[in-house]
Amino acid sequence: MYTVVILAEQRLSAADAAAIVALHDQLDGPRRYHLLIPCENAAVRVETALGSIAASEVLAAPPVLATDIDVRQAQEEIDEHAGNDVERSVSALNLAGHEAAGEFSSDDPVEALERVVAEQHAAEVVVVTRPHVVAEFLHIDWTAKARRHIGVPVLHLVEQVDRSAS
């Protein structure tokens, strides 16, 4: 079975799913898609916010304290949103007529992609993002990083706007 791992910046639209599936129409035999959507890590977000407050020169700012419960609740909300995005994206790929599964990860996107490619024995990777002109120009975008670290072909698609689905 030909396995394609998709690293998507956000939920795939029906148009995105159709474009990805169309890339492999010339292949004979079954194909399987495995989606990976990165999500934030609440603890890192809190640490970053606190670090920027501590580094500021505002002396009169009140202290900001984040409890483990706050961080856990924030992570649950992030995970719920990411899980919903994965579910809807996998559904779009299934509706396009192919076997699909997915997951989300709060790990570094390229490191998570490398893990998933190995686990799924992927033949190729498709990266779907919004346009990031500066990052792409400097070759520090996910696609360029993936090409340097992963031993399979990596294709970058710019996500499509699907106005019919919201």
Side-chain angles (χ1 to χ4, degrees):
M1 178 163 308
Y2 193 83
T3 302
V4 178
V5 173
I6 304 163
L7 174 61
E9 190 170 18
Q10 57 191 27
R11 178 177 56 91
L12 295 179
S13 67
D16 293 327
I20 292 166
V21 168
L23 292 171
H24 308 101
D25 280 345
Q26 78 283 0
L27 296 176
D28 291 330
R31 349 187 247 274
R32 182 170 48 95
Y33 296 92
H34 190 92
L35 175 72
L36 173 64
I37 295 181
C39 68
E40 291 186 87
N41 182 314
V44 171
R45 185 195 295 176
V46 169
E47 288 174 15
T48 302
L50 291 175
S52 64
I53 290 171
S56 72
E57 296 182 359
V58 180
L59 300 176
V64 176
L65 301 174
T67 66
D68 286 339
I69 295 170
D70 295 337
V71 172
R72 194 172 333 122
Q73 181 180 358
Q75 191 64 54
E76 287 172 4
E77 290 172 8
I78 290 167
D79 290 352
E80 181 180 342
H81 180 71
N84 184 37
D85 285 350
V86 168
E87 185 178 312
R88 290 176 72 183
S89 298
V90 166
S91 190
L93 290 163
N94 287 330
L95 286 172
H98 296 282
E99 180 184 334
E103 64 187 85
F104 62 89
S105 174
S106 60
D107 295 336
D108 175 85
V110 176
E111 290 175 10
L113 177 62
E114 192 170 13
R115 172 188 54 80
V116 171
V117 166
E119 289 173 359
Q120 298 297 319
H121 305 288
E124 73 177 87
V125 170
V126 176
V127 179
V128 183
T129 66
R130 295 183 305 262
H132 298 288
V133 178
V134 174
E136 291 170 23
F137 178 74
L138 296 174
H139 302 287
I140 56 174
D141 60 312
W142 291 349
T143 305
K145 289 178 181 179
R147 285 180 180 138
R148 289 191 295 265
H149 297 284
I150 298 172
V152 299
V154 178
L155 175 68
H156 181 224
L157 295 179
V158 175
E159 67 185 16
Q160 299 181 29
V161 177
D162 186 0
R163 304 225 186 267
S164 64
S166 294

mmCIF file of all heavy atoms in Angstrom, residues 115-159:
data_model
loop_
_atom_site.group_PDB
_atom_site.id
_atom_site.type_symbol
_atom_site.label_atom_id
_atom_site.label_comp_id
_atom_site.label_asym_id
_atom_site.label_seq_id
_atom_site.Cartn_x
_atom_site.Cartn_y
_atom_site.Cartn_z
ATOM 1 N N ARG A 115 8.940 11.202 12.915
ATOM 2 C CA ARG A 115 8.460 10.036 13.667
ATOM 3 C C ARG A 115 7.327 9.344 12.914
ATOM 4 O O ARG A 115 7.340 8.129 12.735
ATOM 5 C CB ARG A 115 7.994 10.458 15.060
ATOM 6 C CG ARG A 115 7.302 9.353 15.859
ATOM 7 C CD ARG A 115 6.674 9.838 17.142
ATOM 8 N NE ARG A 115 5.752 10.947 17.019
ATOM 9 C CZ ARG A 115 4.475 10.842 16.633
ATOM 10 N NH1 ARG A 115 3.966 9.668 16.303
ATOM 11 N NH2 ARG A 115 3.699 11.917 16.582
ATOM 12 N N VAL A 116 6.347 10.121 12.453
ATOM 13 C CA VAL A 116 5.178 9.557 11.770
ATOM 14 C C VAL A 116 5.581 8.899 10.454
ATOM 15 O O VAL A 116 5.082 7.819 10.115
ATOM 16 C CB VAL A 116 4.087 10.634 11.561
ATOM 17 C CG1 VAL A 116 2.974 10.126 10.668
ATOM 18 C CG2 VAL A 116 3.525 11.087 12.902
ATOM 19 N N VAL A 117 6.475 9.509 9.705
ATOM 20 C CA VAL A 117 6.948 8.917 8.442
ATOM 21 C C VAL A 117 7.564 7.545 8.709
ATOM 22 O O VAL A 117 7.287 6.584 7.984
ATOM 23 C CB VAL A 117 7.935 9.857 7.728
ATOM 24 C CG1 VAL A 117 8.694 9.139 6.621
ATOM 25 C CG2 VAL A 117 7.204 11.073 7.176
ATOM 26 N N ALA A 118 8.366 7.437 9.749
ATOM 27 C CA ALA A 118 8.982 6.147 10.086
ATOM 28 C C ALA A 118 7.930 5.137 10.538
ATOM 29 O O ALA A 118 7.941 3.978 10.083
ATOM 30 C CB ALA A 118 10.030 6.347 11.175
ATOM 31 N N GLU A 119 7.013 5.551 11.400
ATOM 32 C CA GLU A 119 5.971 4.641 11.900
ATOM 33 C C GLU A 119 5.053 4.147 10.794
ATOM 34 O O GLU A 119 4.651 2.992 10.788
ATOM 35 C CB GLU A 119 5.112 5.344 12.964
ATOM 36 C CG GLU A 119 5.800 5.583 14.279
ATOM 37 C CD GLU A 119 4.962 6.422 15.237
ATOM 38 O OE1 GLU A 119 3.838 6.839 14.880
ATOM 39 O OE2 GLU A 119 5.441 6.652 16.355
ATOM 40 N N GLN A 120 4.716 5.017 9.873
ATOM 41 C CA GLN A 120 3.766 4.682 8.804
ATOM 42 C C GLN A 120 4.438 4.092 7.567
ATOM 43 O O GLN A 120 3.747 3.703 6.628
ATOM 44 C CB GLN A 120 2.969 5.935 8.399
ATOM 45 C CG GLN A 120 2.137 6.523 9.518
ATOM 46 C CD GLN A 120 1.074 5.563 10.002
ATOM 47 O OE1 GLN A 120 0.425 4.883 9.208
ATOM 48 N NE2 GLN A 120 0.876 5.506 11.306
ATOM 49 N N HIS A 121 5.774 4.039 7.549
ATOM 50 C CA HIS A 121 6.520 3.557 6.386
ATOM 51 C C HIS A 121 6.058 4.317 5.137
ATOM 52 O O HIS A 121 5.738 3.719 4.096
ATOM 53 C CB HIS A 121 6.363 2.054 6.202
ATOM 54 C CG HIS A 121 6.735 1.270 7.423
ATOM 55 N ND1 HIS A 121 8.035 1.134 7.835
ATOM 56 C CD2 HIS A 121 5.965 0.626 8.332
ATOM 57 C CE1 HIS A 121 8.067 0.423 8.952
ATOM 58 N NE2 HIS A 121 6.822 0.106 9.276
ATOM 59 N N ALA A 122 6.045 5.634 5.262
ATOM 60 C CA ALA A 122 5.515 6.503 4.205
ATOM 61 C C ALA A 122 6.416 6.522 2.981
ATOM 62 O O ALA A 122 7.645 6.488 3.086
ATOM 63 C CB ALA A 122 5.328 7.918 4.739
ATOM 64 N N ALA A 123 5.775 6.616 1.826
ATOM 65 C CA ALA A 123 6.497 6.736 0.560
ATOM 66 C C ALA A 123 6.778 8.190 0.221
ATOM 67 O O ALA A 123 7.724 8.495 -0.505
ATOM 68 C CB ALA A 123 5.697 6.096 -0.563
ATOM 69 N N GLU A 124 5.937 9.101 0.742
ATOM 70 C CA GLU A 124 6.138 10.521 0.491
ATOM 71 C C GLU A 124 5.407 11.350 1.537
ATOM 72 O O GLU A 124 4.585 10.845 2.289
ATOM 73 C CB GLU A 124 5.700 10.921 -0.916
ATOM 74 C CG GLU A 124 4.204 10.947 -1.132
ATOM 75 C CD GLU A 124 3.834 11.422 -2.532
ATOM 76 O OE1 GLU A 124 3.781 10.586 -3.450
ATOM 77 O OE2 GLU A 124 3.595 12.637 -2.685
ATOM 78 N N VAL A 125 5.728 12.650 1.528
ATOM 79 C CA VAL A 125 5.122 13.614 2.445
ATOM 80 C C VAL A 125 4.556 14.767 1.626
ATOM 81 O O VAL A 125 5.179 15.218 0.664
ATOM 82 C CB VAL A 125 6.176 14.165 3.442
ATOM 83 C CG1 VAL A 125 5.633 15.341 4.240
ATOM 84 C CG2 VAL A 125 6.659 13.069 4.371
ATOM 85 N N VAL A 126 3.377 15.229 2.028
ATOM 86 C CA VAL A 126 2.795 16.441 1.468
ATOM 87 C C VAL A 126 2.626 17.417 2.620
ATOM 88 O O VAL A 126 2.015 17.088 3.641
ATOM 89 C CB VAL A 126 1.430 16.174 0.795
ATOM 90 C CG1 VAL A 126 0.806 17.480 0.312
ATOM 91 C CG2 VAL A 126 1.584 15.190 -0.353
ATOM 92 N N VAL A 127 3.199 18.598 2.487
ATOM 93 C CA VAL A 127 3.083 19.647 3.496
ATOM 94 C C VAL A 127 2.081 20.673 2.976
ATOM 95 O O VAL A 127 2.239 21.179 1.863
ATOM 96 C CB VAL A 127 4.443 20.319 3.782
ATOM 97 C CG1 VAL A 127 4.304 21.429 4.810
ATOM 98 C CG2 VAL A 127 5.464 19.282 4.247
ATOM 99 N N VAL A 128 1.056 20.965 3.782
ATOM 100 C CA VAL A 128 0.021 21.919 3.383
ATOM 101 C C VAL A 128 0.020 23.070 4.380
ATOM 102 O O VAL A 128 -0.230 22.865 5.568
ATOM 103 C CB VAL A 128 -1.378 21.260 3.358
ATOM 104 C CG1 VAL A 128 -2.431 22.246 2.873
ATOM 105 C CG2 VAL A 128 -1.376 20.002 2.509
ATOM 106 N N THR A 129 0.344 24.278 3.880
ATOM 107 C CA THR A 129 0.404 25.451 4.756
ATOM 108 C C THR A 129 -0.207 26.661 4.066
ATOM 109 O O THR A 129 -0.452 26.650 2.866
ATOM 110 C CB THR A 129 1.860 25.825 5.124
ATOM 111 O OG1 THR A 129 2.541 26.244 3.945
ATOM 112 C CG2 THR A 129 2.600 24.683 5.784
ATOM 113 N N ARG A 130 -0.389 27.706 4.848
ATOM 114 C CA ARG A 130 -0.685 29.020 4.274
ATOM 115 C C ARG A 130 0.615 29.500 3.638
ATOM 116 O O ARG A 130 1.686 28.981 3.945
ATOM 117 C CB ARG A 130 -1.119 29.992 5.386
ATOM 118 C CG ARG A 130 -2.421 29.602 6.063
ATOM 119 C CD ARG A 130 -2.829 30.645 7.102
ATOM 120 N NE ARG A 130 -1.805 30.896 8.093
ATOM 121 C CZ ARG A 130 -1.779 30.330 9.307
ATOM 122 N NH1 ARG A 130 -2.708 29.498 9.682
ATOM 123 N NH2 ARG A 130 -0.820 30.617 10.148
ATOM 124 N N PRO A 131 0.561 30.508 2.781
ATOM 125 C CA PRO A 131 1.812 31.034 2.210
ATOM 126 C C PRO A 131 2.691 31.667 3.296
ATOM 127 O O PRO A 131 2.192 32.411 4.134
ATOM 128 C CB PRO A 131 1.335 32.106 1.227
ATOM 129 C CG PRO A 131 -0.107 31.863 1.018
ATOM 130 C CD PRO A 131 -0.621 31.161 2.231
ATOM 131 N N HIS A 132 3.954 31.295 3.303
ATOM 132 C CA HIS A 132 4.936 31.873 4.226
ATOM 133 C C HIS A 132 6.144 32.288 3.398
ATOM 134 O O HIS A 132 7.168 31.614 3.389
ATOM 135 C CB HIS A 132 5.342 30.862 5.298
ATOM 136 C CG HIS A 132 4.216 30.413 6.167
ATOM 137 N ND1 HIS A 132 3.646 31.217 7.116
ATOM 138 C CD2 HIS A 132 3.535 29.243 6.216
ATOM 139 C CE1 HIS A 132 2.678 30.557 7.735
ATOM 140 N NE2 HIS A 132 2.589 29.353 7.195
ATOM 141 N N VAL A 133 6.010 33.395 2.701
ATOM 142 C CA VAL A 133 6.984 33.796 1.692
ATOM 143 C C VAL A 133 8.393 33.968 2.262
ATOM 144 O O VAL A 133 9.362 33.459 1.702
ATOM 145 C CB VAL A 133 6.521 35.091 0.983
ATOM 146 C CG1 VAL A 133 7.541 35.544 -0.035
ATOM 147 C CG2 VAL A 133 5.170 34.882 0.330
ATOM 148 N N VAL A 134 8.525 34.646 3.379
ATOM 149 C CA VAL A 134 9.860 34.891 3.946
ATOM 150 C C VAL A 134 10.498 33.593 4.400
ATOM 151 O O VAL A 134 11.656 33.314 4.083
ATOM 152 C CB VAL A 134 9.784 35.916 5.103
ATOM 153 C CG1 VAL A 134 11.139 36.063 5.778
ATOM 154 C CG2 VAL A 134 9.303 37.268 4.582
ATOM 155 N N ALA A 135 9.754 32.762 5.128
ATOM 156 C CA ALA A 135 10.296 31.481 5.599
ATOM 157 C C ALA A 135 10.697 30.596 4.418
ATOM 158 O O ALA A 135 11.743 29.945 4.453
ATOM 159 C CB ALA A 135 9.286 30.769 6.485
ATOM 160 N N GLU A 136 9.867 30.588 3.378
ATOM 161 C CA GLU A 136 10.186 29.785 2.201
ATOM 162 C C GLU A 136 11.429 30.323 1.493
ATOM 163 O O GLU A 136 12.289 29.554 1.067
ATOM 164 C CB GLU A 136 9.001 29.756 1.243
ATOM 165 C CG GLU A 136 7.825 28.964 1.783
ATOM 166 C CD GLU A 136 6.562 29.135 0.962
ATOM 167 O OE1 GLU A 136 6.657 29.492 -0.232
ATOM 168 O OE2 GLU A 136 5.480 28.912 1.526
ATOM 169 N N PHE A 137 11.534 31.643 1.382
ATOM 170 C CA PHE A 137 12.688 32.260 0.735
ATOM 171 C C PHE A 137 13.980 31.922 1.486
ATOM 172 O O PHE A 137 15.013 31.650 0.871
ATOM 173 C CB PHE A 137 12.507 33.773 0.653
ATOM 174 C CG PHE A 137 13.667 34.489 0.039
ATOM 175 C CD1 PHE A 137 13.886 34.434 -1.330
ATOM 176 C CD2 PHE A 137 14.557 35.203 0.830
ATOM 177 C CE1 PHE A 137 14.967 35.081 -1.904
ATOM 178 C CE2 PHE A 137 15.635 35.851 0.264
ATOM 179 C CZ PHE A 137 15.850 35.793 -1.105
ATOM 180 N N LEU A 138 13.907 31.915 2.811
ATOM 181 C CA LEU A 138 15.083 31.619 3.630
ATOM 182 C C LEU A 138 15.287 30.119 3.862
ATOM 183 O O LEU A 138 16.234 29.718 4.535
ATOM 184 C CB LEU A 138 14.963 32.333 4.982
ATOM 185 C CG LEU A 138 14.949 33.863 4.913
ATOM 186 C CD1 LEU A 138 14.671 34.448 6.284
ATOM 187 C CD2 LEU A 138 16.248 34.393 4.334
ATOM 188 N N HIS A 139 14.389 29.293 3.321
ATOM 189 C CA HIS A 139 14.455 27.839 3.465
ATOM 190 C C HIS A 139 14.438 27.391 4.928
ATOM 191 O O HIS A 139 15.160 26.480 5.317
ATOM 192 C CB HIS A 139 15.677 27.266 2.738
ATOM 193 C CG HIS A 139 15.683 27.586 1.290
ATOM 194 N ND1 HIS A 139 14.829 26.984 0.393
ATOM 195 C CD2 HIS A 139 16.405 28.485 0.574
ATOM 196 C CE1 HIS A 139 15.047 27.477 -0.816
ATOM 197 N NE2 HIS A 139 15.990 28.391 -0.735
ATOM 198 N N ILE A 140 13.588 28.067 5.721
ATOM 199 C CA ILE A 140 13.418 27.667 7.118
ATOM 200 C C ILE A 140 11.978 27.217 7.382
ATOM 201 O O ILE A 140 11.575 27.049 8.524
ATOM 202 C CB ILE A 140 13.827 28.794 8.094
ATOM 203 C CG1 ILE A 140 13.049 30.079 7.809
ATOM 204 C CG2 ILE A 140 15.327 29.039 8.037
ATOM 205 C CD1 ILE A 140 13.276 31.197 8.813
ATOM 206 N N ASP A 141 11.219 27.023 6.317
ATOM 207 C CA ASP A 141 9.841 26.549 6.443
ATOM 208 C C ASP A 141 9.837 25.038 6.677
ATOM 209 O O ASP A 141 10.859 24.367 6.571
ATOM 210 C CB ASP A 141 9.039 26.922 5.191
ATOM 211 C CG ASP A 141 9.619 26.306 3.933
ATOM 212 O OD1 ASP A 141 10.849 26.403 3.733
ATOM 213 O OD2 ASP A 141 8.853 25.718 3.158
ATOM 214 N N TRP A 142 8.664 24.501 7.020
ATOM 215 C CA TRP A 142 8.550 23.066 7.305
ATOM 216 C C TRP A 142 8.995 22.217 6.139
ATOM 217 O O TRP A 142 9.648 21.186 6.330
ATOM 218 C CB TRP A 142 7.108 22.702 7.646
ATOM 219 C CG TRP A 142 6.605 23.222 8.947
ATOM 220 C CD1 TRP A 142 7.330 23.791 9.952
ATOM 221 C CD2 TRP A 142 5.255 23.212 9.395
ATOM 222 N NE1 TRP A 142 6.507 24.141 10.994
ATOM 223 C CE2 TRP A 142 5.231 23.791 10.670
ATOM 224 C CE3 TRP A 142 4.068 22.779 8.832
ATOM 225 C CZ2 TRP A 142 4.047 23.935 11.393
ATOM 226 C CZ3 TRP A 142 2.901 22.917 9.547
ATOM 227 C CH2 TRP A 142 2.897 23.492 10.823
ATOM 228 N N THR A 143 8.653 22.614 4.925
ATOM 229 C CA THR A 143 8.994 21.814 3.754
ATOM 230 C C THR A 143 10.507 21.701 3.589
ATOM 231 O O THR A 143 11.038 20.606 3.389
ATOM 232 C CB THR A 143 8.371 22.422 2.487
ATOM 233 O OG1 THR A 143 6.967 22.566 2.695
ATOM 234 C CG2 THR A 143 8.630 21.558 1.273
ATOM 235 N N ALA A 144 11.199 22.814 3.677
ATOM 236 C CA ALA A 144 12.658 22.800 3.528
ATOM 237 C C ALA A 144 13.314 21.987 4.642
ATOM 238 O O ALA A 144 14.236 21.204 4.389
ATOM 239 C CB ALA A 144 13.197 24.237 3.531
ATOM 240 N N LYS A 145 12.825 22.153 5.871
ATOM 241 C CA LYS A 145 13.373 21.376 6.994
ATOM 242 C C LYS A 145 13.112 19.884 6.799
ATOM 243 O O LYS A 145 13.995 19.061 7.044
ATOM 244 C CB LYS A 145 12.763 21.848 8.312
ATOM 245 C CG LYS A 145 13.246 23.207 8.754
ATOM 246 C CD LYS A 145 12.557 23.604 10.050
ATOM 247 C CE LYS A 145 12.988 24.972 10.510
ATOM 248 N NZ LYS A 145 12.293 25.362 11.766
ATOM 249 N N ALA A 146 11.906 19.547 6.369
ATOM 250 C CA ALA A 146 11.566 18.139 6.154
ATOM 251 C C ALA A 146 12.444 17.525 5.077
ATOM 252 O O ALA A 146 12.906 16.391 5.214
ATOM 253 C CB ALA A 146 10.088 18.003 5.794
ATOM 254 N N ARG A 147 12.692 18.266 4.007
ATOM 255 C CA ARG A 147 13.540 17.746 2.926
ATOM 256 C C ARG A 147 14.950 17.447 3.415
ATOM 257 O O ARG A 147 15.606 16.537 2.917
ATOM 258 C CB ARG A 147 13.584 18.742 1.768
ATOM 259 C CG ARG A 147 12.315 18.753 0.955
ATOM 260 C CD ARG A 147 12.369 19.736 -0.200
ATOM 261 N NE ARG A 147 11.120 19.691 -0.953
ATOM 262 C CZ ARG A 147 10.506 20.762 -1.411
ATOM 263 N NH1 ARG A 147 11.038 21.967 -1.250
ATOM 264 N NH2 ARG A 147 9.370 20.639 -2.061
ATOM 265 N N ARG A 148 15.412 18.209 4.403
ATOM 266 C CA ARG A 148 16.759 17.985 4.945
ATOM 267 C C ARG A 148 16.803 16.808 5.910
ATOM 268 O O ARG A 148 17.864 16.207 6.097
ATOM 269 C CB ARG A 148 17.257 19.240 5.648
ATOM 270 C CG ARG A 148 17.606 20.378 4.704
ATOM 271 C CD ARG A 148 18.353 21.509 5.398
ATOM 272 N NE ARG A 148 17.563 22.187 6.397
ATOM 273 C CZ ARG A 148 16.850 23.304 6.198
ATOM 274 N NH1 ARG A 148 16.820 23.845 4.993
ATOM 275 N NH2 ARG A 148 16.182 23.868 7.172
ATOM 276 N N HIS A 149 15.685 16.465 6.550
ATOM 277 C CA HIS A 149 15.696 15.469 7.624
ATOM 278 C C HIS A 149 14.993 14.158 7.304
ATOM 279 O O HIS A 149 15.171 13.187 8.027
ATOM 280 C CB HIS A 149 15.060 16.055 8.896
ATOM 281 C CG HIS A 149 15.812 17.209 9.454
ATOM 282 N ND1 HIS A 149 16.993 17.068 10.148
ATOM 283 C CD2 HIS A 149 15.571 18.540 9.416
ATOM 284 C CE1 HIS A 149 17.441 18.255 10.511
ATOM 285 N NE2 HIS A 149 16.596 19.164 10.075
ATOM 286 N N ILE A 150 14.178 14.127 6.276
ATOM 287 C CA ILE A 150 13.360 12.949 6.005
ATOM 288 C C ILE A 150 13.748 12.380 4.655
ATOM 289 O O ILE A 150 13.876 13.109 3.682
ATOM 290 C CB ILE A 150 11.863 13.325 6.052
ATOM 291 C CG1 ILE A 150 11.525 13.826 7.453
ATOM 292 C CG2 ILE A 150 10.979 12.139 5.673
ATOM 293 C CD1 ILE A 150 10.157 14.402 7.587
ATOM 294 N N GLY A 151 13.913 11.085 4.596
ATOM 295 C CA GLY A 151 14.425 10.432 3.390
ATOM 296 C C GLY A 151 13.386 10.048 2.361
ATOM 297 O O GLY A 151 13.576 9.060 1.662
ATOM 298 N N VAL A 152 12.292 10.805 2.270
ATOM 299 C CA VAL A 152 11.277 10.545 1.244
ATOM 300 C C VAL A 152 10.973 11.858 0.537
ATOM 301 O O VAL A 152 11.254 12.931 1.067
ATOM 302 C CB VAL A 152 9.978 9.943 1.845
ATOM 303 C CG1 VAL A 152 10.258 8.605 2.521
ATOM 304 C CG2 VAL A 152 9.309 10.897 2.797
ATOM 305 N N PRO A 153 10.378 11.796 -0.662
ATOM 306 C CA PRO A 153 10.023 13.040 -1.354
ATOM 307 C C PRO A 153 9.045 13.880 -0.532
ATOM 308 O O PRO A 153 8.141 13.352 0.113
ATOM 309 C CB PRO A 153 9.349 12.550 -2.638
ATOM 310 C CG PRO A 153 9.853 11.164 -2.837
ATOM 311 C CD PRO A 153 10.069 10.609 -1.459
ATOM 312 N N VAL A 154 9.244 15.191 -0.561
ATOM 313 C CA VAL A 154 8.393 16.130 0.178
ATOM 314 C C VAL A 154 7.884 17.181 -0.804
ATOM 315 O O VAL A 154 8.663 17.838 -1.478
ATOM 316 C CB VAL A 154 9.174 16.822 1.319
ATOM 317 C CG1 VAL A 154 8.294 17.825 2.040
ATOM 318 C CG2 VAL A 154 9.735 15.794 2.301
ATOM 319 N N LEU A 155 6.557 17.322 -0.854
ATOM 320 C CA LEU A 155 5.912 18.290 -1.722
ATOM 321 C C LEU A 155 5.193 19.319 -0.868
ATOM 322 O O LEU A 155 4.568 18.972 0.129
ATOM 323 C CB LEU A 155 4.901 17.583 -2.639
ATOM 324 C CG LEU A 155 4.058 18.482 -3.531
ATOM 325 C CD1 LEU A 155 4.929 19.151 -4.587
ATOM 326 C CD2 LEU A 155 2.954 17.684 -4.179
ATOM 327 N N HIS A 156 5.270 20.578 -1.255
ATOM 328 C CA HIS A 156 4.576 21.641 -0.521
ATOM 329 C C HIS A 156 3.389 22.129 -1.328
ATOM 330 O O HIS A 156 3.525 22.480 -2.499
ATOM 331 C CB HIS A 156 5.522 22.810 -0.248
ATOM 332 C CG HIS A 156 4.886 23.920 0.508
ATOM 333 N ND1 HIS A 156 5.048 25.239 0.182
ATOM 334 C CD2 HIS A 156 4.075 23.909 1.589
ATOM 335 C CE1 HIS A 156 4.367 25.996 1.023
ATOM 336 N NE2 HIS A 156 3.760 25.203 1.888
ATOM 337 N N LEU A 157 2.214 22.140 -0.701
ATOM 338 C CA LEU A 157 1.018 22.719 -1.299
ATOM 339 C C LEU A 157 0.562 23.887 -0.440
ATOM 340 O O LEU A 157 0.612 23.822 0.785
ATOM 341 C CB LEU A 157 -0.124 21.702 -1.355
ATOM 342 C CG LEU A 157 0.053 20.481 -2.235
ATOM 343 C CD1 LEU A 157 -1.184 19.590 -2.138
ATOM 344 C CD2 LEU A 157 0.292 20.879 -3.674
ATOM 345 N N VAL A 158 0.122 24.939 -1.090
ATOM 346 C CA VAL A 158 -0.467 26.072 -0.361
ATOM 347 C C VAL A 158 -1.943 25.760 -0.225
ATOM 348 O O VAL A 158 -2.605 25.407 -1.204
ATOM 349 C CB VAL A 158 -0.227 27.397 -1.110
ATOM 350 C CG1 VAL A 158 -0.950 28.545 -0.420
ATOM 351 C CG2 VAL A 158 1.272 27.677 -1.211
ATOM 352 N N GLU A 159 -2.454 25.874 0.994
ATOM 353 C CA GLU A 159 -3.843 25.494 1.244
ATOM 354 C C GLU A 159 -4.791 26.307 0.381
ATOM 355 O O GLU A 159 -4.523 27.460 0.032
ATOM 356 C CB GLU A 159 -4.197 25.644 2.715
ATOM 357 C CG GLU A 159 -4.211 27.052 3.199
ATOM 358 C CD GLU A 159 -4.446 27.160 4.696
ATOM 359 O OE1 GLU A 159 -4.305 26.164 5.402
ATOM 360 O OE2 GLU A 159 -4.770 28.262 5.137
#
